[in-house]
Amino acid sequence: MAATKDYRLLCLENPLLDIQAVGDDALLAKYGLKANDAILAEEKHQGIFEDLLNNYDAKLIAGGAAQNTARGAQYILAPNSVVYLGGVGDDKYAAILHDAVKQVGLRVEYRVDPKEQTGRCGVVITGHNRSMCTELGAANHYDVEHLKKPEVWSLVENAEAYYVGGYHFTVCPPAIMELCKQAAARNKPFILSLSAPFIPQFFKDPLDASAPYWDYVIGNETEAAAYSESHGLGLTDVKEIAKALANLPKENAQRKRVAIITQGTLPTVVAVQGEEAVQEFPVHAIAQDEIYDTNGAGDAFAGGFSAGIVEGRSLAEAVDMGQWLARLSIKELGPSYPFPKQTYQPTQ
Ligand code: 26A
């Protein structure tokens, strides 16, 4: 293990290898997938990974939503700023993940499970939609014991901010709560991504247990709608849902909660706890023919935004950094960033 160093942002979630291909409606129908969704693989989905590889010219790309975010934040921040935790196997897929994180200089502390395969995410691209079907594998075995290992826990204690992908509620809520409590006790920012509609729908209880600890909560319009519905808010307007999220009860009263909802090409909505006015930030324009694929655009936004928070930038600047990085990622295949590295320049 590398020498202990203080990493500024510590991220936790599920490292996955994306098996991504352009598909069609017949492929979606074969596995009962929606064009734009993220789900956990069931029995009926087992064949999809081989199918994509053998019949659809699939590419293998480093994925895992919060790992994409961590790579994105590290892409922007000074070297050795971000560390990422999650579970992998000891196989060729883990080796691809190691290569990808090395490229941006992201430090990872994986819990390596020799008995389990590295998690896989089948990504079916149809037009500007992406359908994701995930077999968590080794990622599903992440545990608090790993988090509490002295060399890992010291990274936690020394970090300045935390980012957790909501997908991890399917894996290890106790590890999330450890980070939540650490953040509140030391008055450090805790950033949560809602990740996918099925998290507020089917993982409501662990999600709600962590809610008082969110300093920043990030989601897109479909996740916001799923939150509203599963929590009986009766709200459909994105701005109103953002406001409701911002004003949930909060543990650390030293920070006002901020809710950030992205809406694809529509403006990013930002609500601050206790503030009546909801802000809107138009996204950075991108020509249609420059859109390669939008898989990972939300993760990239979260990476740029989190980098801004770590650097102590204003909310408007952090949103601008998120939009800048999302735009770069959309021009790449999958959740990737361009090399040679581009340097963030404020829009205004
Ligand atoms: C638990 N689930 C379903 C997941 C994911 C996931 N990352 C963590 N846990 N399902 C899909 N992803 C990742 O989302 C990225 C795009 O936002 C994919 O690996 C993909 O890189």
Side-chain angles (χ1 to χ4, degrees):
M1 157 143 191
T4 302
K5 193 208 159 283
D6 295 350
Y7 288 78
R8 302 186 73 183
L9 178 67
L10 181 130
C11 307
L12 166 71
E13 207 208 37
N14 316 322
L16 302 174
L17 203 274
D18 287 356
I19 301 178
Q20 175 171 332
V22 174
D24 50 26
D25 289 345
L27 179 63
L28 295 175
K30 182 172 173 188
Y31 294 100
L33 300 173
K34 293 184 201 155
N36 207 12
D37 205 3
I39 61 162
L40 288 168
E42 297 164 29
E43 201 60 39
K44 65 177 179 187
H45 302 117
Q46 292 309 318
I48 194 170
F49 305 106
E50 291 304 315
D51 205 356
L52 285 168
L53 286 167
N54 297 335
N55 306 319
Y56 289 87
D57 189 28
K59 302 276 181 299
L60 301 179
I61 317 165
Q67 186 167 234
N68 302 335
T69 297
R71 282 192 289 114
Q74 182 57 75
Y75 183 88
I76 292 181
L77 293 169
N80 302 318
S81 291
V82 188
V83 59
Y84 171 83
L85 312 177
V88 298
D90 184 9
D91 49 24
K92 65 174 197 279
Y93 285 172
I96 296 176
L97 298 187
H98 274 292
D99 283 347
V101 300
K102 205 166 145 197
Q103 187 188 34
V104 291
L106 171 67
R107 161 99 174 259
V108 291
E109 283 303 325
Y110 290 141
R111 175 190 181 278
V112 180
D113 193 322
K115 296 189 299 295
E116 302 288 336
Q117 261 194 17
T118 296
R120 295 170 296 172
C121 177
V123 185
V124 180
I125 304 287
T126 50
H128 290 167
N129 292 322
R130 93 283 183 265
S131 192
M132 303 192 287
C133 181
T134 294
E135 172 118 297
L136 280 165
N140 211 16
H141 294 262
Y142 191 80
D143 54 20
V144 177
E145 288 68 44
H146 182 270
L147 186 73
K148 284 293 178 81
K149 277 168 49 173
E151 64 272 29
V152 176
W153 190 248
S154 76
L155 293 167
V156 172
E157 286 186 315
N158 294 330
E160 292 169 30
Y162 305 99
Y163 179 93
V164 171
Y167 282 126
H168 204 69
F169 284 111
T170 72
V171 172
C172 188
I176 300 175
M177 292 310 295
E178 288 290 337
L179 298 183
C180 283
K181 290 185 177 152
Q182 184 71 15
R186 306 277 174 91
N187 188 24
K188 297 174 182 179
F190 181 91
I191 310 168
L192 182 96
S193 162
L194 291 174
S195 291
F198 85 86
I199 298 297
Q201 276 161 357
F202 302 121
F203 293 84
K204 184 170 179 286
D205 289 348
L207 179 73
D208 291 349
S210 75
Y213 296 91
W214 308 337
D215 293 298
Y216 298 91
V217 54
I218 304 178
N220 66 23
E221 71 278 41
T222 54
E223 292 150 16
Y227 183 95
S228 172
E229 207 184 317
S230 60
H231 290 72
L233 301 185
L235 301 171
T236 51
D237 181 60
V238 169
K239 288 195 214 166
E240 291 304 318
I241 301 171
K243 232 169 157 173
L245 286 167
N247 287 293
L248 291 172
K250 194 157 184 310
E251 178 74 21
N252 177 6
Q254 296 182 67
R255 294 177 184 275
K256 289 185 188 172
R257 184 184 296 105
V258 182
I260 306 101
I261 308 296
T262 61
Q263 323 185 71
T265 53
L266 296 174
T268 304
V269 165
V270 177
V272 180
Q273 187 178 20
E275 291 182 11
E276 194 50 41
V278 175
Q279 303 173 63
E280 286 186 278
F281 299 90
V283 301
H284 296 196
I286 177 166
Q288 276 294 326
D289 62 357
E290 278 192 310
I291 301 181
Y292 193 41
D293 93 67
T294 55
N295 183 25
D299 306 336
F301 174 86
F305 180 83
S306 301
I309 296 305
V310 166
E311 285 187 337
R313 306 226 189 187
S314 70
L315 256 183
E317 276 178 316
V319 169
D320 191 60
M321 289 166 78
Q323 294 181 342
W324 176 80
L325 196 63
R327 186 169 177 276
L328 288 191
S329 160
I330 285 169
K331 297 183 190 180
E332 303 290 312
L333 175 68
S336 311
Y337 307 103
F339 284 87
K341 256 192 193 190
Q342 300 192 18
T343 308
Y344 170 71
Q345 302 286 351
T347 305
Q348 267 79 31

